[in-house]
Amino acid sequence: LVWGSMNSFAMLRPPWRARSSIAMSRMSRFHLSSGVRIETDTQYDIQFRAAYAGTALAFRDRLIIEWNKTQQRQTFADQKRVYYLSLEFLMGRALDNAMLNVGLKDVAQDGLSELGFRVEDVINQEHDAALGNGGLGRLAACFLDSLATLNYPAWGYGLRYRYGIFKQEIIDGYQVEIPDYWLDFNPWEFPRHDITVDIQFYGHVIRYQDEYGKTVNSWQGGETVQAVAYDVPIPGYGTKTTNNLRLWSSKATSGEFDFQKFNAGDYESAVADQQRAETISAVLYPNDNLERGKELRLKQQYFWCAASLYDIVRRFKKTRRAWREFPDQVAIQLNDTHPTLAIVELQRILVDLEGLDWDEAWHIVTHTFGYTNHTVLPEALEKWSVPLMQNLLPRHLQIIYDINLFFLQSVEKRFPEDRDMLARVSVIEESHPKMVRMAHLAIIGSHKVNGVAELHSDLIKTTIFKDFVAIYGPDKFTNVTNGITPRRWLHQANPRLSDLIASKLGGFEFLKDLTLLDQLESFVDDKAFRSEWAEIKYANKIRLAKLIKDTTGYSVNPRALFDVQVKRIHEYKRQQLNIFGVIHRYLKIKSLSPEECQKLVPRVSIFGGKAAPGYWMAKTIIHLINNVAAVINKDADVGDLLKVIFIEDYNVSKAEIICPASDISEHISTAGTEASGTSNMKFVLNGGLIIGTCDGANIEITREIGEQNIFLFGTLAEDVEEIRHRHRYDGFRLDENLARVFEEIQKGTFGDADDFSALISSITDHGDYYLVSDDFHSYLTTQELVDEAFQDQDEWIAKSITSVARMGFFSTDRVINEYADSIWNVEPLPEE
Ligand code: Z57
């Protein structure tokens, strides 16, 4: 690293010595208590920001070189590329990742410490790139890491939101959303003002015969918005491959239209047009597992699909190959149905603009796309109203109708007796207004459809996509169980554990082949190893306890059992089950004598996660957690036996501190609702145990690590429907322990009972759709088993080590190789 080239370091006057963060916080406390102005601290801030900028720019310089070489190599090799289309890339911070992937963190550390900085403090300056909601967006980010690490020629395509997922503050127990304006200083993106695409909206279609008698459809009029490319380098770990993530930003076209207005003196309206254009990429929709059918969201989807396809097609055209070779050069993976318009757009490009026959074009399209489904929740399945689409994308709607017509004709031929089948599988739902079912379109336009865990892939085949299995046969539907990148989620988040593992396995090879972790099993009985393992977990808990202290003011005992549930707040994920369980525990503690309390295992219940701003029930759950925390944490009878913590603004960089610090984490969705879950993998890979339901990837985690190493409870997916039916028609019996918890809430122990009446009645009066009451008893019993097991620390550590040793399957490296072999048919392109 050429430190001398870093302009930003010129701001640091040698022999400047920056204060450590501990000194800093002592300083600010001093200033606050003495009332002295904190101007001097602002000086330190500037120093830290400069250190961050300098370090980031130094690493960026290295990345640029390999990035250019990689792109040249991929162009020259002229082999098939993968394009991963995702509306979300939840990247988190880039600097630490870049340092570790490039392998020069030590050098940076030394350089920084010479200047008086701790590398962690510098890393912590960076704003998270939070262009995602939760699991789906983080999966896309882990995929990019593995694609580069495995040397696949691959691009990510997404939107460059000006505002990422909102920042969450908790004020008086309520969630408050703060805009996440993150682009002030982002050294990781490169504006490509030379790469722009004009995107059309609205207008109308003109149909005519050309001079050869061929029908031509021409989409005319409407308005155009310009897409500008911003490129982000994606370094692989221990490889020179540096792939590209291309994010599109919207701006007004500099067309005559605007100038006319300017010239006509209509300044305000010209500015309004400009703002409307920029609005397209302004904000990430903050819903996870929910679609609300807003026009701006559809505009985002088309804007991004059209720009990406234009780019992909342009790159293909440079090869001067015949169109039929397109699927040999291009694989496009649809991350959920959000990019389904790309199917329609490619068909439009081929038929309307390139003049291919419909069938030839459709053959190309269907051999290019793969579709990944991430949910079976009905409220998350995308549907767009036909009138909305007619207005915004008139030609696309016609193409959708044609795709549907040909599809239904073929279905009718094969299932002549089954009229209902046609209505069920149609892309158009015959409702008022009519709706376009995006999942149906995605299935019809793709050659492979996959779910993200075995149970989930089975469920989609037997429920929501059952008819399509009958139509296409079972081979079109497949499973690729999710994973996580061990680089960020072990090596970066838990460097001490990574080092310890490396010391036993003879190096860091396991970070590239996670199945090597299995060698750890031979050390399970090694006393010294066990105690080092336990010591690292303890240190990680202290690190989390500090975060908790700094952000909530609560002190927690790091010797207590840390029980963590961090994920988006959603009724199906059942944070309510957890907090009701906490209340039950509290009531029990209150009923015991001090002697009896001695025998209890002290526990810290840690929650974190954002509620979608319009999701009232989720916000109520957050409110309840915070109110329960306020009561329990100040109850002198309870002391260290139970603490409840809500960590505000859960995000990727907080997850990196939280995941290594759990003893147990909760993955307790109603069976059949969580497609996979990926944080379950992050916790186990860091030596935490799990309490969970037989849902999503929990099932495969159990298969890998052994059922003696996991705490499973609750209803099975196959029984859920029948139980719901019973609730509706045979009446509903509330669990008695849960009834006791509700009484306590209704007494006002945790604040105004009215605030929580809807939450309670959703269970007692509205069918308990998520089976909270049905599972409450087995949840409590299983939590008792957790307490019991935690008392035998030796055995607990053995479970922890064994589990980590058996987690090799859950690397996204395995996942990406499966996609490459069974869906994309692409080969790695390592440098010579
Ligand atoms: C999202 O985060 C997921 C699915 C969706 O349909 C949407 Br929209 C957002 C999640 C699933 O809920 C998780 O179970 C899964 O692990 C993750 O996607 C990645 O597949």
Side-chain angles (χ1 to χ4, degrees):
L1 294 172
V2 187
W3 295 92
S5 75
M6 288 183 263
N7 287 333
S8 304
F9 273 114
M11 293 169 68
L12 303 174
R13 276 169 287 117
W16 172 265
R17 283 286 179 276
R19 324 251 162 168
S20 74
S21 65
I22 297 161
M24 289 263 304
S25 59
R26 234 183 263 132
M27 283 292 285
S28 35
R29 229 175 299 142
F30 170 75
H31 285 304
L32 292 177
S33 57
S34 62
V36 175
R37 290 195 307 169
I38 51 173
E39 241 168 43
T40 38
D41 279 0
T42 311
Q43 280 292 321
Y44 302 144
D45 268 8
I46 291 168
Q47 300 294 330
F48 276 107
R49 257 181 281 153
Y52 166 69
T55 315
L57 292 175
F59 277 91
R60 187 177 91 148
D61 283 350
R62 291 188 68 90
L63 293 192
I64 295 172
I65 294 166
E66 298 308 329
W67 191 23
N68 285 330
K69 284 194 200 155
T70 302
Q71 297 315 315
Q72 275 175 22
R73 181 153 42 88
Q74 292 179 1
T75 304
F76 189 72
D78 195 28
Q79 67 182 51
K80 191 169 183 180
R81 286 190 178 93
V82 186
Y83 296 101
Y84 197 76
L85 268 58
S86 179
L87 259 193
E88 305 188 9
F89 288 94
L90 192 44
M91 303 294 285
R93 290 174 176 153
L95 176 58
D96 201 7
N97 186 248
M99 296 195 297
L100 290 168
N101 281 17
V102 167
L104 288 171
K105 189 169 180 181
D106 300 351
V107 178
Q109 196 153 4
D110 293 349
L112 283 166
S113 93
E114 261 173 49
L115 291 159
F117 294 100
R118 294 197 321 187
V119 70
E120 306 88 75
D121 296 331
V122 172
I123 287 166
N124 286 339
Q125 293 299 307
E126 186 173 347
H127 201 112
D128 272 35
L131 305 185
N133 277 287
L136 172 139
R138 183 54 229 177
L139 185 74
C142 286
F143 278 11
L144 294 181
D145 185 75
S146 283
L147 283 162
T149 300
L150 296 169
N151 302 305
Y152 283 103
W155 288 54
Y157 276 106
L159 276 183
R160 177 182 178 268
Y161 303 109
R162 186 144 38 90
Y163 297 93
I165 188 67
F166 63 85
K167 285 191 173 304
Q168 178 194 55
E169 283 185 12
I170 302 296
I171 298 180
D172 298 333
Y174 293 96
Q175 167 174 299
V176 174
E177 298 97 21
I178 314 291
D180 171 45
Y181 187 86
W182 70 291
L183 288 169
D184 286 340
F185 173 67
N186 178 6
W188 307 106
E189 66 169 15
F190 292 79
R192 299 292 306 268
H193 297 293
D194 52 327
I195 299 174
T196 63
V197 187
D198 281 355
I199 309 295
Q200 188 178 0
F201 292 106
Y202 307 107
H204 54 272
V205 181
I206 299 211
R207 183 168 294 188
Y208 61 90
Q209 317 270 299
D210 69 7
E211 61 250 59
Y212 310 105
K214 197 171 167 187
T215 304
V216 177
N217 289 287
S218 170
W219 180 17
Q220 300 185 346
E223 57 182 51
T224 62
V225 175
Q226 193 176 54
V228 183
Y230 284 73
D231 287 351
V232 181
I234 308 292
Y237 174 78
T239 172
K240 297 201 159 176
T241 299
T242 304
N243 281 336
N244 195 25
L245 168 61
R246 178 158 287 176
L247 302 175
W248 297 105
S249 183
S250 63
K251 67 181 248 189
T253 44
S254 45
E256 316 135 53
F257 186 65
D258 303 315
F259 280 113
Q260 273 169 21
K261 278 192 181 170
F262 274 113
N263 293 340
D266 199 354
Y267 179 72
E268 271 177 55
S269 127
V271 170
D273 283 349
Q274 182 149 333
Q275 281 183 343
R276 220 153 40 82
E278 286 172 14
T279 298
I280 291 177
S281 61
V283 55
L284 165 75
Y285 275 87
N287 305 316
D288 191 83
N289 267 295
L290 177 73
E291 272 304 324
R292 299 215 305 170
K294 290 270 188 269
E295 181 179 51
L296 181 60
R297 168 84 167 185
L298 187 61
K299 273 186 149 177
Q300 289 187 335
Q301 293 185 350
Y302 180 64
F303 172 82
W304 149 66
C305 288
S308 306
L309 266 200
Y310 184 92
D311 212 39
I312 293 166
V313 166
R314 183 174 46 77
R315 200 167 298 123
F316 171 77
K317 280 185 163 183
K318 280 204 251 169
T319 68
R320 310 192 136 273
R321 288 166 193 263
W323 280 111
R324 69 183 139 70
E325 291 180 60
F326 192 81
D328 305 328
Q329 289 288 298
V330 175
I332 303 179
Q333 191 64 28
L334 307 174
N335 196 22
D336 217 301
T337 54
H338 316 146
T340 302
L341 283 171
I343 289 172
V344 190
E345 176 70 359
L346 182 57
Q347 182 72 1
R348 186 183 75 88
I349 292 171
L350 296 177
V351 173
D352 290 4
L353 307 182
E354 301 294 336
L356 271 67
D357 289 346
W358 178 276
D359 290 343
E360 194 188 353
W362 188 241
H363 179 90
I364 292 167
V365 169
T366 51
H367 286 76
T368 298
F369 288 96
Y371 156 52
T372 306
N373 171 279
H374 294 266
T375 186
V376 295
L377 299 187
E379 66 270 29
L381 297 178
E382 275 191 296
K383 290 174 188 178
W384 289 104
S385 105
V386 165
L388 184 67
M389 202 165 295
Q390 162 73 50
N391 185 245
L392 187 69
L393 302 165
R395 178 58 186 143
H396 292 78
L397 185 65
Q398 290 178 344
I399 293 173
I400 289 170
Y401 269 111
D402 286 344
I403 291 170
N404 195 36
L405 178 70
F406 297 133
F407 169 67
L408 291 180
Q409 282 172 349
S410 75
V411 175
E412 197 179 18
K413 239 183 252 163
R414 288 211 27 224
F415 301 88
E417 286 93 288
D418 201 344
R419 298 299 305 172
D420 289 350
M421 162 92 97
L422 295 184
R424 287 199 307 270
V425 300
S426 174
V427 174
I428 307 298
E429 178 184 281
E430 297 292 331
S431 46
H432 300 285
K434 290 185 185 170
M435 303 293 268
V436 182
R437 297 160 165 161
M438 301 308 270
H440 292 196
L441 189 52
I443 295 169
I444 295 166
S446 300
H447 70 285
K448 274 274 187 295
V449 177
N450 75 285
V452 290
E454 272 177 23
L455 174 69
H456 168 66
S457 298
D458 287 344
L459 280 175
I460 62 178
K461 282 197 273 187
T462 52
T463 62
I464 54 176
F465 301 153
K466 188 169 183 243
D467 292 320
F468 291 94
V469 176
I471 292 165
Y472 290 109
D475 290 353
K476 179 158 176 169
F477 296 84
T478 181
N479 172 249
V480 186
T481 299
N482 282 169
I484 56 174
T485 169
R487 272 74 65 179
R488 183 174 293 259
W489 297 112
L490 178 56
H491 192 46
Q492 182 180 318
N494 201 344
R496 283 193 57 196
L497 193 65
S498 185
D499 286 351
L500 176 62
I501 293 170
S503 76
K504 292 294 173 189
L505 269 48
F508 288 98
E509 266 309 291
F510 67 96
L511 291 174
K512 280 190 155 256
D513 175 2
L514 202 63
T515 62
L516 295 175
L517 285 179
D518 63 8
Q519 295 169 26
L520 278 178
E521 279 207 54
S522 55
F523 301 97
V524 172
D525 295 323
D526 176 334
K527 272 237 158 76
F529 179 66
R530 279 194 193 194
S531 73
E532 274 186 83
W533 190 274
E535 209 279 307
I536 290 168
K537 176 61 75 180
Y538 184 64
N540 289 330
K541 288 169 73 176
I542 290 176
R543 179 167 68 150
L544 177 56
K546 184 176 181 320
L547 174 85
I548 290 171
K549 178 78 192 172
D550 291 348
T551 55
T552 69
Y554 290 123
S555 299
V556 298
N557 176 4
R559 296 271 175 218
L561 189 161
F562 277 21
D563 170 345
V564 181
Q565 189 180 17
V566 285
K567 49 184 83 230
R568 288 298 291 253
I569 311 293
H570 204 298
E571 286 166 283
Y572 87 80
K573 296 177 189 281
R574 298 202 295 190
Q575 283 92 355
Q576 71 275 41
L577 176 60
N578 185 346
I579 194 65
F580 294 152
V582 168
I583 295 173
H584 170 86
R585 181 176 288 263
Y586 174 59
L587 296 176
K588 182 172 161 197
I589 292 170
K590 296 289 276 185
S591 74
L592 293 179
S593 67
E595 299 75 57
E596 289 169 316
C597 281
Q598 290 280 302
K599 293 184 210 129
L600 297 181
V601 178
R603 195 183 273 238
V604 184
S605 275
I606 299 162
F607 294 82
K610 293 171 187 178
Y615 189 175
W616 287 105
M617 199 64 90
K619 289 184 150 179
T620 302
I621 294 170
I622 292 177
H623 187 198
L624 179 61
I625 294 167
N626 282 301
N627 282 14
V628 169
V631 170
I632 295 180
N633 295 351
K634 67 157 194 267
D635 189 329
D637 298 346
V638 176
D640 267 0
L641 287 180
L642 183 58
K643 285 274 177 289
V644 182
I645 301 296
F646 191 96
I647 296 178
E648 69 182 3
D649 200 40
Y650 175 60
N651 60 13
V652 171
S653 47
K654 284 190 180 152
E656 289 167 18
I657 296 169
I658 294 166
C659 291
S662 86
D663 294 307
I664 197 117
S665 64
E666 308 218 7
H667 309 275
I668 57 177
S669 49
T670 312
T673 62
E674 188 72 275
S676 162
T678 44
S679 75
N680 42 8
M681 303 165 192
K682 291 165 198 168
F683 283 102
V684 179
L685 186 60
N686 282 283
L689 304 190
I690 279 184
I691 179 168
T693 45
C694 296
D695 199 17
N698 289 355
I699 295 170
E700 287 149 90
I701 292 174
T702 306
R703 183 158 75 210
E704 294 294 311
I705 71 176
E707 51 187 350
Q708 69 285 3
N709 295 315
I710 190 166
F711 298 91
L712 291 179
F713 73 97
T715 309
L716 299 179
E718 58 202 31
D719 300 325
V720 167
E721 263 318 308
E722 194 192 309
I723 295 172
R724 281 179 182 156
H725 187 276
R726 251 196 279 143
H727 288 176
R728 266 194 291 271
Y729 300 103
D730 307 348
F732 163 81
R733 250 194 77 254
L734 183 63
D735 175 273
E736 53 188 75
N737 282 309
L738 190 56
R740 179 71 194 84
V741 167
F742 287 172
E743 267 171 41
E744 201 63 32
I745 296 172
Q746 280 157 343
K747 267 203 273 178
T749 305
F750 307 106
D752 191 344
D754 291 347
D755 292 353
F756 309 112
S757 59
L759 179 58
I760 292 175
S761 67
S762 74
I763 294 167
T764 54
D765 304 333
H766 299 114
D768 190 14
Y769 188 75
Y770 296 103
L771 277 53
V772 174
S773 176
D774 302 86
D775 282 351
F776 198 59
H777 183 76
S778 65
Y779 177 66
L780 295 181
T781 323
T782 307
Q783 285 287 20
E784 279 170 22
L785 295 179
V786 171
D787 286 325
E788 210 177 293
F790 194 70
Q791 280 172 318
D792 186 348
Q793 271 299 302
D794 230 33
E795 190 51 36
W796 185 279
I797 296 298
K799 285 183 196 296
S800 165
I801 297 168
T802 309
S803 300
V804 173
R806 298 177 181 175
M807 282 298 285
F809 180 72
F810 298 100
S811 167
T812 35
D813 294 348
R814 185 268 310 160
V815 180
I816 288 300
N817 281 324
E818 281 186 21
Y819 276 94
D821 292 346
S822 70
I823 300 178
W824 302 330
N825 192 29
V826 291
E827 298 292 332
L829 177 65
E831 49 133 28
E832 292 298 302

